[in-house]
Amino acid sequence: KGWLERVMVPGVAFVFNAQGKVRPGLTNVRRIIGISTYGSPRLYVKVVNDNGRRTLTRALRLNTGLRTRTSWLGLYAIDTATEAQREAFLQRVERKLQSL
């Protein structure tokens, strides 16, 4: 999130119109895909609102326009995930990215 806040600057990520309202600046972006691993189980992450996911799929999307599609791929409880679960996650990521 800190990197996004330093990179998403006025004139690039967003622009101001003549009335001073904020408008999207990254209108050429059509797809946002977030890929993350979590140390906690999915239920716990959901309870604490999953701020990284919300930042990418909501806040960043406002800078790209409402037609931008978002996807999120997460591997939860990676600390206790088996080799098979990690491999399945990697295959899911690969399938998703190949379908673009």
Side-chain angles (χ1 to χ4, degrees):
K1 183 174 179 266
W3 177 83
L4 285 173
E5 290 171 350
R6 289 190 300 275
V7 172
M8 298 298 166
V9 295
V12 176
F14 57 92
V15 293
F16 293 98
N17 66 8
Q19 292 80 27
K21 292 187 178 187
V22 177
R23 296 292 176 231
L26 300 172
T27 55
N28 60 332
V29 175
R30 296 286 172 235
R31 190 87 167 156
I32 297 172
I33 299 177
I35 303 169
S36 183
T37 58
Y38 299 87
S40 301
R42 186 179 200 151
L43 181 59
Y44 177 78
V45 172
K46 187 172 182 146
V47 167
V48 296
N49 291 327
D50 198 356
N51 290 325
R53 179 180 186 164
R54 288 188 333 159
T55 299
L56 286 175
T57 59
R58 292 182 188 174
L60 182 58
R61 185 170 176 234
L62 292 175
N63 293 329
T64 62
L66 297 177
R67 291 187 182 182
T68 302
R69 295 172 55 194
T70 61
S71 300
W72 190 261
L73 301 171
L75 176 59
Y76 298 88
I78 192 170
D79 299 337
T80 58
T82 65
E83 182 69 30
Q85 290 170 322
R86 292 191 300 267
E87 186 62 37
F89 176 71
L90 290 174
Q91 289 174 2
R92 190 171 62 147
V93 169
E94 189 172 333
R95 279 193 312 271
K96 182 68 167 182
L97 295 178
Q98 284 179 348
S99 71
L100 296 178

